[in-house]
Amino acid sequence: MFFERHEGGERAVLIHLEGHDERTREDPQEFVELVSSAGADIAAFMTVNRHQPSPRFLVGAGKVDEIQSIVREHAADLVIFNHVLTPSQERNLERELQCRVIDRTGLILDIFAQRARTHEGKLQVELAQLDHLSTRLVRGWTHLERQKGGIGLRGPGETQLETDRRLLRERIKQITRRLEKVRSQREQARRARRRAEIPVVSLVGYTNAGKSTLFNTLTASSVYAADQLFATLDPTLRRIELADIGPVILADTVGFIRHLPHKLVEAFRATLEESSQADLLLHVIDAADPERDSHIEQVVKVLSEIGAIELPILEVYNKVDLLEAVEPQIQRDESGVPVRVWVSAQNGLGLDLLAEAMAERLGEDVIQESVLLEHAEARLRAQFYAAGAVIAERISDDGRQQLDLRLQRADFNRLLKREGWQPDVFLQQHTLQ
């Protein structure tokens, strides 16, 4: 891989900024957990109160001197900021502190690099890291001005930095092409599942909410699960059986986090599409986490970014065993539809209720209609066939095509909107009376 990634076990000084703006606020405890997940040894933790970030260092020049003293005192190898640094801020801080400096985005990218197991996951991480590194290349080449001259040593007339950027761009294009191929393969697999009428349920939620533990319990699998951030990176799919529904594909996906770097959302779009194309989302929430409301907000934000916010969502409040006087239960809305289930994936409490709620939500979202299509609507007929939605077809007395359809409501709505129809209007004009 092109990028450098530090090994674990380094001594790190942690810098956390406190300011007035709640929108940019980071959680210091989560910061510590991220650093621990990356494998660094925390030498010192420093909180800086600063309401107006400095363009040069992010923090003030006096604080830079303090950080420098702490770095020397603890012989630290690394300074990690719980915030996003600009390339110039990163360079200026490294020059002053005489050690490596990384920001929150670089830290999360490093954890992802350690967790990636599959070829696809490694490609996605490398793409995100190269994209992040491309704006910071000058840091690594400040000691080189131009490639060496002389017999046998003449370069193509570009600086080492330009050469490296060119190679970087070529590698990014190469990875992007490979990931497009992966996306195409995933779409083919999804079409096959739709043709087989197998609904897909995707687990989403904040990192370390217990998604993989729940996944393992429901599917009797052994996906890696641990009490650390981003224990799961690569998506895993398993088939389970639900009463009255039959076979269902359950997908475990990467966890979300506050201010998830946009580069990661872009790089992992192929993976996150498993969630955006699902028939039902299980939003797993750590019920015992004091920051749970904030975490719910962050998950909703990422779901909006990947176009999954309009999908049916069933909230799963996990770790109910850590709460007092709270029993496993199903909570319903005013129409009697399950909207929230309280469970403990670790102890297996309430999983029968979860299966019941999933079956109800999947059953209610199946469209079964007989529709009449005009000859001019041949394209729409082809789309229904491509989605595996046509159970039977007949020619009506007036020569129109009569299709018996069965498909998930979300797929039905998506298909019609793509063809320029509002679902309600289409049903009014085409349903057999």
Side-chain angles (χ1 to χ4, degrees), residues 92-275:
N92 293 337
L93 285 164
E94 286 191 341
R95 193 179 300 118
E96 294 295 322
L97 302 177
Q98 294 297 300
C99 70
R100 278 186 304 108
V101 174
I102 65 171
D103 63 0
R104 182 183 172 86
T105 300
L107 175 63
I108 294 175
L109 286 170
D110 185 88
I111 295 171
F112 271 52
Q114 293 181 49
R115 300 283 189 273
R117 296 288 181 271
T118 65
H119 177 63
E120 178 197 350
K122 290 174 181 177
L123 281 177
Q124 290 175 132
V125 172
E126 186 177 359
L127 177 62
Q129 285 204 320
L130 289 174
D131 193 27
H132 181 67
L133 187 65
S134 62
T135 58
R136 290 160 164 77
L137 272 180
V138 67
R139 174 181 64 184
W141 296 107
T142 48
H143 62 293
L144 295 174
E145 298 212 356
R146 188 164 293 276
Q147 291 178 340
K148 291 181 180 179
I151 297 173
L153 295 173
R154 299 183 208 278
E158 60 184 351
T159 64
Q160 180 67 53
L161 179 60
E162 287 166 347
T163 301
D164 208 58
R165 279 185 176 150
R166 176 170 50 79
L167 293 172
L168 204 68
R169 284 195 299 271
E170 289 171 3
R171 179 62 177 158
I172 287 174
K173 286 178 184 174
Q174 184 184 22
I175 295 173
T176 303
R177 283 196 298 269
R178 288 190 191 177
L179 288 175
E180 283 299 325
K181 187 176 179 182
V182 169
R183 180 178 294 186
S184 174
Q185 291 168 343
R186 283 188 182 280
E187 182 54 38
Q188 287 177 356
R190 278 193 289 268
R191 281 201 296 269
R193 291 198 293 268
R194 282 198 292 267
R195 282 196 295 271
E197 296 184 8
I198 300 177
V200 176
V201 177
S202 182
L203 295 170
V204 298
Y206 209 77
T207 183
N208 207 26
K211 294 185 299 300
S212 294
T213 302
L214 180 62
F215 182 86
N216 286 338
T217 308
L218 290 174
T219 63
S221 299
S222 55
V223 169
Y224 180 65
D227 184 19
Q228 59 186 22
L229 303 184
F230 299 118
T232 302
L233 187 57
D234 302 302
T236 309
L237 283 73
R238 293 287 186 275
R239 185 169 169 151
I240 62 172
E241 294 285 331
L242 282 182
D244 302 326
I245 297 295
V248 171
I249 299 295
L250 192 65
D252 186 21
T253 57
V254 62
F256 303 152
I257 195 167
R258 185 193 313 271
H259 302 149
L260 185 68
H262 189 69
K263 292 182 180 68
L264 281 178
V265 176
E266 281 300 313
F268 280 78
R269 189 162 294 280
T271 301
L272 293 171
E273 277 177 357
E274 289 297 344
S275 296

Side-chain angles (χ1 to χ4, degrees), residues 311-356:
L311 295 177
I313 298 177
L314 177 63
E315 292 183 342
V316 182
Y317 277 72
N318 189 27
K319 307 185 185 181
V320 72
D321 52 307
L322 301 179
L323 301 175
E324 291 184 12
V326 178
E327 295 294 324
Q329 58 184 295
I330 296 177
Q331 292 181 333
R332 302 173 182 271
D333 63 14
E334 59 275 6
S335 305
V337 176
V339 292
R340 191 175 295 117
V341 187
W342 296 74
V343 304
S344 170
Q346 188 76 40
N347 298 341
L349 301 173
L351 297 187
D352 54 335
L353 299 175
L354 176 58
E356 178 187 330

Side-chain angles (χ1 to χ4, degrees), residues 67 99 172 178 305 307 365 375 409 413:
I67 296 169
C99 70
I172 287 174
R178 288 190 191 177
E305 283 189 42
D365 266 353
H375 293 296
R409 186 180 300 275
N413 292 346

